Amino acid sequence: MVPGSLLVVGSIALDSVSTPFGETADALGGAAVFFSMAGAVLCPVQVVGVVGSDFPEEHLKKLASRGVDLAGVERQRGESFRWKARYSYDLNSRETLETRLGVFAQFQPRIPEKFRDARYVFLGNIDPELQLNVLDQVKQPKLVACDTMNYWIQGKKDLLLELLRHIDILMVNDSEARELSGDWNVYRAAHWILGRGPKMVVIKQGEHGALLVDPETTFKAPAYPLQEVFDPTGAGDAFAGGFMAYLARTGDLAFPNLRRAMIYGSAMGSLAVEAFGTQRLEQITLQEVHGRVKAFRDLIHFSLDGEA
Ligand code: AMP
């Protein structure tokens, strides 16, 4: 099996996060980081992003040591993107305390020549205008998935709707799906989105799992029942990394394989939250990922009355 190339464009951040179990300051974070660390376990990942002059070289080395190709990471003069958040006691809600864009404010993704043949592309949560711009730079992707957030849904809805016509999968959380569609019901919201262009919609529902919806079918992956969760930051991006990397690794976009990819995504998300920031993903092995995927099968397998 020859894995297809997987490209991600998105934030590379210094995160300061506090949960009831501890806190971090200026730790390695950002959507492209969680995505690529998770994805790199399954296939080679190429990253495009920007960091400031204050971004520690050791942080980048952590990515490089996982085999992530950083040729598309620019270092610019100025402050790195910083994000500060605090989680509630049950870890279900979080408050963003500070977002300092720094060099990320002027980010203009430039896809290096050697990344332009990428077959699998993930457009992390950035300005939809820049996401469209990335699509102009890649040659012939087989699968394009994209994330967004409420800020862009409110501020740049027209461009976002334009983007939807050019992508295969929109991957958002339930509140974003509701806000984009104007419908509180996530299943109707998913079909509203399908009517705007994408072939599939993935709706992430945190501790309630994730949905894969296409015009004919719906598949639900549960969240893994963890007894210890330390830091939910980046779970959604690790999910996306696992999902896309599994598809890139296998090259199979048929529905049974898309369902498996949902479980690889869920496995990666569940592993990511077992430690602070990227700590767990920095150590993770392919064997552990396969093990978690098998545990998912046991979790949801059942037989009909009369079956073995
Ligand atoms: P998640 O928990 O999946 O929502 O991802 C959290 C990650 O997204 C953190 O590592 C942040 O650095 C990053 N992040 C937070 N706000 C933004 C933003 N406005 N744009 C891009 N990335 C962000």
Side-chain angles (χ1 to χ4, degrees), residues 5 18 23 59 82 96 133 173 204 221 259 269:
S5 44
S18 79
E23 57 185 35
H59 281 355
R82 278 185 171 74
T96 295
N133 184 270
N173 64 35
K204 296 169 286 178
R259 289 179 174 218

Side-chain angles (χ1 to χ4, degrees), residues 11 13 15 29-31 34 81 83 87 94 99 101 104 125 149 232-237:
S11 60
D15 284 352
F34 285 103
F81 174 62
W83 179 74
Y87 285 87
R94 78 175 173 213
T99 301
L101 293 176
F104 196 48
N125 157 36
M149 69 187 290
T233 308
D237 305 310

Side-chain angles (χ1 to χ4, degrees), residues 56-130:
E57 200 52 43
E58 295 77 65
H59 281 355
L60 293 178
K61 280 193 189 137
K62 286 181 195 163
L63 286 169
S65 72
R66 301 298 286 173
V68 176
D69 190 333
L70 301 173
V73 177
E74 280 181 52
R75 190 182 278 276
Q76 282 178 11
R77 196 134 35 107
E79 252 197 286
S80 297
F81 174 62
R82 278 185 171 74
W83 179 74
K84 198 170 178 181
R86 183 171 51 212
Y87 285 87
S88 62
Y89 180 72
D90 65 4
L91 296 174
N92 275 333
S93 61
R94 78 175 173 213
E95 187 188 354
T96 295
L97 302 173
E98 196 178 12
T99 301
R100 276 187 8 227
L101 293 176
V103 294
F104 196 48
Q106 313 300 332
F107 180 43
Q108 288 293 333
R110 266 191 294 271
I111 313 300
E113 194 52 45
K114 66 168 181 169
F115 289 2
R116 294 186 180 207
D117 293 317
R119 301 289 282 143
Y120 297 81
V121 176
F122 186 74
L123 305 170
N125 157 36
I126 54 175
D127 186 331
E129 196 171 338
L130 300 182

Side-chain angles (χ1 to χ4, degrees), residues 122-187:
F122 186 74
L123 305 170
N125 157 36
I126 54 175
D127 186 331
E129 196 171 338
L130 300 182
Q131 291 174 317
L132 280 163
N133 184 270
V134 169
L135 286 187
D136 283 341
Q137 297 179 57
V138 290
K139 289 180 185 153
Q140 243 192 342
K142 180 170 169 179
L143 186 77
V144 178
C146 157
D147 188 8
T148 191
M149 69 187 290
N150 300 44
Y151 182 76
W152 304 120
I153 296 171
Q154 286 150 21
K156 297 220 174 170
K157 192 163 179 182
D158 289 348
L159 275 169
L160 193 55
L161 291 177
E162 165 69 15
L163 178 71
L164 291 185
R165 288 204 283 274
H166 301 278
I167 63 165
D168 302 294
I169 305 181
L170 181 70
M171 207 178 278
V172 286
N173 64 35
D174 39 14
S175 75
E176 291 154 354
R178 288 188 175 109
E179 180 151 9
L180 179 58
S181 63
D183 196 324
W184 62 270
N185 179 292
V186 284
Y187 304 103

